[in-house]
Coordinates of all heavy atoms in Angstrom, one line a residue:
V32 N 18.5 19.1 0.1 CA 18.0 18.0 -0.8 C 17.5 18.7 -2.0 O 16.7 19.6 -2.0 CB 16.9 17.2 -0.1 CG1 16.3 16.2 -1.1 CG2 17.4 16.5 1.1
I50 N 15.5 6.7 -11.4 CA 14.4 5.8 -11.0 C 13.6 6.5 -9.9 O 14.1 7.4 -9.2 CB 14.9 4.4 -10.6 CG1 15.7 4.5 -9.3 CG2 15.7 3.7 -11.6 CD1 15.9 3.2 -8.5
I51 N 12.4 6.0 -9.7 CA 11.6 6.6 -8.7 C 11.3 5.5 -7.6 O 11.0 4.4 -7.9 CB 10.2 7.1 -9.3 CG1 10.5 8.2 -10.2 CG2 9.3 7.5 -8.1 CD1 9.2 8.8 -10.9
V52 N 11.5 5.9 -6.4 CA 11.3 5.0 -5.2 C 10.3 5.6 -4.3 O 10.4 6.7 -3.8 CB 12.7 4.8 -4.5 CG1 12.4 3.9 -3.3 CG2 13.7 4.2 -5.4
D53 N 9.2 4.8 -4.1 CA 8.1 5.2 -3.2 C 8.5 4.7 -1.8 O 8.7 3.5 -1.6 CB 6.8 4.5 -3.7 CG 5.6 5.0 -2.9 OD1 5.7 5.2 -1.7 OD2 4.5 5.0 -3.5
V54 N 8.7 5.6 -0.8 CA 9.1 5.2 0.5 C 8.0 5.2 1.5 O 8.2 5.1 2.7 CB 10.3 6.1 1.0 CG1 11.5 5.9 0.1 CG2 9.9 7.5 1.1
R55 N 6.8 5.2 1.0 CA 5.6 5.2 1.9 C 5.4 3.8 2.4 O 6.0 2.8 2.0 CB 4.4 5.7 1.2 CG 4.5 7.1 0.7 CD 3.3 7.5 -0.2 NE 3.1 6.6 -1.3 CZ 2.0 6.4 -1.9 NH1 0.9 7.0 -1.5 NH2 1.9 5.5 -3.0
G56 N 4.4 3.6 3.3 CA 4.0 2.3 3.8 C 3.4 1.5 2.7 O 3.0 2.0 1.7
E57 N 3.4 0.1 2.9 CA 2.9 -0.8 1.9 C 1.5 -0.5 1.5 O 1.1 -0.6 0.4 CB 3.1 -2.2 2.4 CG 2.7 -3.2 1.3 CD 3.0 -4.7 1.8 OE1 3.3 -4.9 3.0 OE2 3.0 -5.5 0.9
D58 N 0.6 -0.2 2.5 CA -0.8 0.0 2.2 C -1.0 1.2 1.3 O -1.8 1.2 0.4 CB -1.6 0.2 3.5 CG -1.8 -1.0 4.3 OD1 -1.6 -2.1 3.8 OD2 -2.0 -0.9 5.5
S59 N -0.2 2.3 1.6 CA -0.3 3.5 0.7 C 0.2 3.2 -0.7 O -0.4 3.6 -1.7 CB 0.6 4.6 1.3 OG 0.1 5.0 2.6
Y60 N 1.3 2.4 -0.8 CA 1.8 2.0 -2.1 C 0.8 1.2 -2.9 O 0.5 1.5 -4.0 CB 3.1 1.2 -1.9 CG 3.7 0.8 -3.3 CD1 4.4 1.6 -4.1 CD2 3.5 -0.5 -3.7 CE1 5.0 1.2 -5.3 CE2 4.0 -1.0 -4.9 CZ 4.7 -0.1 -5.7 OH 5.2 -0.5 -6.9
N61 N 0.2 0.3 -2.2 CA -0.8 -0.6 -2.9 C -2.1 0.2 -3.2 O -2.7 -0.2 -4.2 CB -1.1 -1.8 -2.0 CG 0.0 -2.8 -1.9 OD1 0.8 -2.9 -2.8 ND2 0.0 -3.5 -0.8
G63 N -2.1 3.1 -4.4 CA -1.8 3.9 -5.6 C -0.4 4.5 -5.6 O 0.0 4.9 -4.5
H64 N 0.3 4.4 -6.7 CA 1.7 4.9 -6.7 C 2.0 5.3 -8.2 O 1.2 5.0 -9.1 CB 2.6 3.8 -6.3 CG 2.6 2.6 -7.0 ND1 1.7 1.5 -6.6 CD2 3.2 2.1 -8.1 CE1 1.8 0.5 -7.5 NE2 2.7 0.9 -8.4
I65 N 3.1 6.0 -8.3 CA 3.6 6.5 -9.6 C 3.9 5.2 -10.4 O 4.6 4.3 -9.9 CB 4.8 7.4 -9.5 CG1 4.4 8.6 -8.7 CG2 5.4 7.7 -10.8 CD1 5.6 9.5 -8.4
G67 N 5.6 2.6 -12.4 CA 7.0 2.2 -12.5 C 7.8 2.4 -11.3 O 9.0 2.1 -11.2
A68 N 7.2 3.0 -10.2 CA 8.0 3.3 -9.0 C 8.3 2.0 -8.3 O 7.5 1.1 -8.2 CB 7.2 4.2 -8.1
R69 N 9.5 1.9 -7.7 CA 9.9 0.8 -6.9 C 9.4 1.1 -5.5 O 9.4 2.3 -5.1 CB 11.4 0.6 -6.8 CG 12.0 0.2 -8.2 CD 13.4 0.0 -8.0 NE 14.1 -0.1 -9.3 CZ 15.3 -0.5 -9.5 NH1 16.1 -0.7 -8.4 NH2 15.8 -0.6 -10.7
W70 N 9.0 0.1 -4.7 CA 8.6 0.3 -3.4 C 9.7 -0.2 -2.4 O 10.0 -1.3 -2.4 CB 7.2 -0.4 -3.0 CG 6.9 -0.2 -1.6 CD1 6.6 0.9 -0.9 CD2 6.8 -1.3 -0.6 NE1 6.4 0.6 0.4 CE2 6.5 -0.7 0.6 CE3 7.1 -2.6 -0.7 CZ2 6.4 -1.4 1.8 CZ3 6.9 -3.4 0.5 CH2 6.6 -2.8 1.7
I71 N 10.2 0.8 -1.6 CA 11.1 0.4 -0.5 C 10.7 1.3 0.7 O 10.8 2.5 0.6 CB 12.6 0.7 -0.9 CG1 13.0 -0.1 -2.1 CG2 13.4 0.4 0.4 CD1 14.5 0.2 -2.5
N72 N 10.1 0.7 1.6 CA 9.6 1.4 2.8 C 10.8 2.2 3.4 O 11.9 1.7 3.5 CB 9.1 0.4 3.9 CG 8.5 1.1 5.0 OD1 9.1 1.7 5.9 ND2 7.1 1.0 5.1
L73 N 10.5 3.4 3.9 CA 11.5 4.3 4.4 C 12.3 3.6 5.5 O 13.6 3.8 5.6 CB 10.9 5.5 5.0 CG 11.8 6.6 5.5 CD1 12.8 7.1 4.5 CD2 11.0 7.8 6.1
N74 N 11.7 2.8 6.3 CA 12.4 2.1 7.4 C 13.4 1.0 6.9 O 14.3 0.6 7.6 CB 11.4 1.4 8.3 CG 10.5 2.4 9.1 OD1 10.9 3.5 9.4 ND2 9.3 2.0 9.3
D75 N 13.2 0.6 5.6 CA 14.1 -0.4 5.1 C 15.1 0.1 4.1 O 15.9 -0.6 3.5 CB 13.3 -1.4 4.3 CG 12.3 -2.2 5.2 OD1 12.6 -2.3 6.4 OD2 11.2 -2.6 4.7
I76 N 15.1 1.4 3.8 CA 16.0 2.0 2.8 C 17.4 1.8 3.0 O 18.2 1.4 2.1 CB 15.7 3.5 2.6 CG1 15.9 4.0 1.2 CG2 16.4 4.4 3.5 CD1 14.9 3.7 0.2
E77 N 17.9 1.8 4.3 CA 19.3 1.7 4.5 C 19.8 0.2 4.2 O 20.8 0.0 3.6 CB 19.6 2.0 6.0 CG 21.1 2.0 6.3 CD 21.4 2.5 7.7 OE1 20.6 3.0 8.4 OE2 22.6 2.3 8.1
K78 N 19.0 -0.8 4.7 CA 19.4 -2.1 4.4 C 19.2 -2.6 3.0 O 19.7 -3.6 2.6 CB 18.8 -3.1 5.4 CG 17.3 -3.2 5.4 CD 16.7 -4.1 6.5 CE 15.2 -4.1 6.5 NZ 14.7 -4.8 7.7
R79 N 18.3 -1.9 2.2 CA 18.1 -2.3 0.9 C 18.7 -1.3 -0.2 O 18.5 -1.4 -1.4 CB 16.6 -2.3 0.6 CG 15.9 -3.4 1.4 CD 14.4 -3.5 1.1 NE 14.2 -3.8 -0.3 CZ 12.9 -3.6 -0.8 NH1 11.9 -3.3 -0.1 NH2 12.8 -3.9 -2.1
A80 N 19.6 -0.5 0.3 CA 20.3 0.5 -0.6 C 21.1 -0.2 -1.7 O 21.2 0.4 -2.8 CB 21.2 1.4 0.2
E82 N 20.2 -2.5 -3.5 CA 19.3 -2.8 -4.6 C 19.1 -1.6 -5.6 O 18.6 -1.8 -6.7 CB 17.9 -3.1 -4.1 CG 17.8 -4.3 -3.2 CD 16.5 -4.6 -2.6 OE1 15.4 -4.1 -3.2 OE2 16.4 -5.2 -1.6
L83 N 19.6 -0.4 -5.2 CA 19.4 0.8 -6.0 C 20.6 0.9 -6.9 O 21.8 0.7 -6.5 CB 19.2 2.0 -5.1 CG 18.0 1.9 -4.2 CD1 18.0 3.1 -3.2 CD2 16.8 1.9 -5.0
I89 N 18.3 8.8 -7.8 CA 17.2 8.2 -7.1 C 16.2 9.3 -6.7 O 16.6 10.2 -5.9 CB 17.8 7.5 -5.9 CG1 18.9 6.6 -6.2 CG2 16.6 6.7 -5.1 CD1 18.7 5.4 -7.1
I90 N 15.0 9.2 -7.2 CA 14.0 10.2 -6.9 C 13.0 9.4 -5.9 O 12.5 8.4 -6.2 CB 13.2 10.6 -8.1 CG1 14.1 11.2 -9.1 CG2 12.1 11.6 -7.7 CD1 13.5 11.5 -10.5
T91 N 12.9 10.0 -4.7 CA 12.0 9.4 -3.7 C 10.8 10.3 -3.5 O 10.9 11.5 -3.7 CB 12.8 9.2 -2.3 OG1 13.2 10.5 -1.8 CG2 13.9 8.2 -2.5
Y92 N 9.8 9.7 -3.1 CA 8.6 10.4 -2.7 C 7.9 9.7 -1.5 O 7.9 8.5 -1.4 CB 7.7 10.8 -3.8 CG 6.8 9.6 -4.4 CD1 5.5 9.5 -3.9 CD2 7.3 8.7 -5.2 CE1 4.7 8.4 -4.4 CE2 6.6 7.7 -5.7 CZ 5.3 7.5 -5.3 OH 4.5 6.5 -5.8
C93 N 7.2 10.5 -0.7 CA 6.5 10.0 0.4 C 5.1 10.5 0.7 O 4.6 10.3 1.8 CB 7.4 10.1 1.7 SG 7.7 11.8 2.0
S94 N 4.6 11.3 -0.2 CA 3.3 11.9 0.1 C 2.3 11.7 -1.0 O 2.6 11.2 -2.1 CB 3.4 13.4 0.4 OG 3.9 14.1 -0.6

Side-chain angles (χ1 to χ4, degrees):
V32 176
I50 65 161
I51 297 179
V52 178
D53 186 328
V54 296
R55 300 174 302 157
E57 187 174 14
D58 289 340
S59 296
Y60 178 81
N61 289 334
H64 56 272
I65 295 172
R69 295 183 190 188
W70 174 65
I71 300 178
N72 187 289
L73 182 60
N74 296 327
D75 299 331
I76 207 83
E77 187 174 349
K78 65 184 171 188
R79 294 184 58 195
E82 298 174 26
L83 300 172
I89 309 298
I90 301 170
T91 61
Y92 74 99
C93 61
S94 58

